[in-house]
């Protein structure tokens, strides 16, 4: 099994930058995808970005493409979400996930962190 712990959330202003971290422990197969999802109060969980653990192939949602970047440091066993030019619409709890699927549905990911809050003020 895989354990995931997110960190780096906080209160920022529109236009600021923020970097979220996801520290992974336990068994992580080389074929696993690592992903970031977010969920605002009263809304469904939304896909943000994913990356393969070994190859580093990335895919980002259209809503964040050009502003956010997903990356990983295999030596630190950590996945990052670099958030630039943040907007109030980015306000949500951000979750790190791991799984064997390559899709954008949360159903593909069997392991989840507890989330970290990101709040963007106008």
């Amino acid at each position: 099994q895989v354990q995931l712990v997110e960190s780096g959330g906080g209160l920022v202003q529109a236009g600021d930058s923020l970097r979220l971290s996801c520290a992974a422990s336990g068994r992580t197969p080389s074929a696993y995808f690592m992903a970031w999802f977010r969920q605002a109060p009263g809304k469904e969980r939304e896909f943000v970005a994913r990356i393969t653990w070994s190859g580093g192939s990335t895919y980002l949602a259209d809503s964040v493409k050009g502003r956010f970047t997903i990356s990983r440091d295999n030596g630190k066993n950590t996945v990052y979400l670099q958030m630039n030019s943040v907007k109030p619409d980015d306000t949500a709890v951000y979750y790190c996930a791991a799984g064997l699927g390559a899709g954008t549905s949360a159903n593909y990911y069997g392991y989840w962190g507890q989330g970290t809050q990101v709040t963007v003020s106008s």
Side-chain angles (χ1 to χ4, degrees):
Q1 63 183 55
V2 179
Q3 294 82 44
L4 305 172
V5 180
E6 304 96 334
S7 62
L11 175 62
V12 295
Q13 292 185 314
D16 285 353
S17 295
L18 195 68
R19 189 174 78 163
L20 307 183
S21 299
C22 173
S25 61
R27 299 192 65 181
T28 305
S30 60
Y32 263 29
F33 284 78
M34 305 295 294
W36 287 97
F37 288 78
R38 65 187 183 185
Q39 187 168 22
K43 297 184 179 180
E44 295 183 349
R45 191 162 297 188
E46 176 189 17
F47 169 81
V48 177
R50 64 150 175 83
I51 188 170
T52 58
W53 188 252
S54 296
S57 299
T58 63
Y59 179 78
L60 277 71
D62 289 341
S63 60
V64 303
K65 189 176 297 183
R67 299 187 298 118
F68 292 6
T69 302
I70 186 170
S71 62
R72 87 271 191 267
D73 186 331
N74 288 7
K76 296 182 178 180
N77 222 28
T78 301
V79 177
Y80 304 97
L81 184 69
Q82 179 66 45
M83 306 168 61
N84 296 329
S85 302
V86 295
K87 304 175 181 179
D89 287 346
D90 296 322
T91 297
V93 177
Y94 283 71
Y95 297 92
C96 181
L100 292 172
T104 60
S105 171
N107 294 331
Y108 288 114
Y109 300 90
Y111 302 97
W112 295 84
Q114 295 185 5
T116 184
Q117 296 181 349
V118 175
T119 302
V120 183
S121 62
S122 300

